Amino acid sequence: MGKLDGRVVVITGAARGQGEQEARLFAAEGARVVLGDVLDEPGRAVAKELGAERAVYVHLDVTREDDWSAAVAATKERFGRIDGLINNAGIVRFNALVETPLEEFQSMVQVNQTGCFLGIRAVAPEITAAGGGTIVNTSSYTGMTGMAGVGAYTATKHAVLGLTRVAAIELAAGGIRVNAICPGAIDTAMSHPEGVDPAVMTDLYRTKVPLRRIGQPEEVAALALFLTSEDSSYITGQPFVIDGGWLAGVSLF
Ligand code: NAD
């Protein structure tokens, strides 16, 4: 028996990285998954691999209200209901605050923060209609602390925690638990910026992170599974840090 038997979960940003691993793990645990992304080709390929019984890909730009309406309609048509949402899609740009163009700042707000809001607003009524379920928002360790060089991103990830807390309070009566994941450095395209030697990044994490390595997207998927399954039945409104101990404190050695 799978931990998500009978569940129908929409996952944004599921064409690659953490979202892809969440889709794979959830399908393996018995869920039917709807993979949303703007990267249509790889998104369709993952869904195809998982099989038509288990998975479908939809083009879903999380910043667009009409895309959310279409994704909800497509999910209901294919699987009849929705009782889970993973707001995972996100983008990052590296810049000092005083050098960040307004457009760059706003693009991160649009995807990371507004996208999360639109997802909650579009899907929560469906989850309640299905008899209750879960929402997991993807924040970051930069949702819990400041990080130089990613000021706009950090602001959006703080905002995601605010949305998570309010949604947990407002949606509890409708049978929905809402929690947030706060990953540290995870081994995906996002943590290997173009033009930076991957070996340099790997070395950085080896020296900075107490567990001496970068995290794997499969490890984040396992946390998303916990928060989507009945194993977390009395937990709502909380941020969960998964960062190899990076936020635990400073080290002299
Ligand atoms: P990733 O870049 O591999 O995946 C992000 C996915 O989001 C991509 O498939 C991308 O196409 C999709 N996406 C981007 N804009 C979109 C939009 N407008 N609509 C729909 N999809 C869109 O990176 P990842 O590490 O898998 O990131 C997943 C989440 O984890 C993000 O929210 C990210 O901010 C967060 N996170 C990542 C790290 C890390 O170190 N990788 C750390 C903390 C938090």
Side-chain angles (χ1 to χ4, degrees):
M1 215 176 88
K3 283 183 183 291
L4 299 179
D5 281 345
R7 299 283 303 274
V8 179
V9 183
V10 175
I11 304 172
T12 70
R16 69 181 192 196
Q18 296 174 51
E20 175 189 346
Q21 294 309 323
E22 287 160 355
R24 290 182 183 282
L25 179 61
F26 285 22
E29 288 290 342
R32 284 161 293 166
V33 289
V34 178
L35 297 90
D37 209 300
V38 290
L39 298 175
D40 296 334
E41 219 175 287
R44 271 196 203 101
V46 177
K48 192 172 169 201
E49 208 187 304
L50 294 175
E53 291 288 301
R54 285 265 149 249
V56 64
Y57 174 79
V58 294
H59 179 89
L60 170 57
D61 179 340
V62 296
T63 68
R64 297 184 57 96
E65 288 182 282
D66 50 350
D67 277 12
W68 274 108
S69 305
V72 166
T75 305
K76 285 168 70 180
E77 191 188 320
R78 182 65 169 271
F79 296 132
R81 53 190 266 149
I82 310 175
D83 58 26
L85 170 65
I86 307 281
N87 277 316
N88 164 77
I91 57 170
V92 69
R93 302 285 179 269
F94 298 87
N95 233 330
L97 271 180
V98 296
E99 283 160 17
T100 301
L102 177 59
E103 200 186 321
E104 182 177 301
F105 189 96
Q106 287 175 332
S107 69
M108 273 173 279
V109 171
Q110 278 294 104
V111 177
N112 300 352
Q113 181 177 337
T114 309
C116 182
F117 155 68
L118 289 177
I120 293 169
R121 202 184 64 180
V123 177
E126 304 296 335
I127 301 179
T128 295
T134 53
I135 297 175
V136 175
N137 298 321
T138 308
S139 175
S140 164
Y141 60 156
T142 65
M144 309 284 287
T145 188
M147 181 176 275
V150 286
Y153 179 82
T154 298
T156 65
K157 293 301 186 179
H158 275 68
V160 167
L161 293 187
L163 281 170
T164 300
R165 292 182 173 113
V166 174
I169 298 165
E170 291 187 358
L171 301 176
I176 306 177
R177 297 186 294 105
V178 188
N179 290 292
I181 290 177
C182 301
I186 306 299
D187 199 4
T188 66
M190 184 175 281
S191 54
H192 292 291
E194 247 173 70
V196 182
D197 181 354
V200 170
M201 297 307 287
T202 306
D203 252 16
L204 174 83
Y205 300 129
R206 199 174 293 130
T207 52
K208 296 277 184 212
V209 177
L211 288 184
R212 301 264 181 249
R213 65 174 176 87
I214 194 167
Q216 293 305 314
E218 291 85 348
E219 295 175 293
V220 179
L223 176 56
L225 172 63
F226 170 69
L227 294 173
T228 301
S229 76
E230 276 303 288
D231 286 348
S232 58
S233 54
Y234 197 52
I235 299 175
T236 195
Q238 297 305 313
F240 288 80
V241 177
I242 172 164
D243 72 343
W246 207 349
L247 276 190
V250 295
S251 169
L252 291 176
F253 310 106

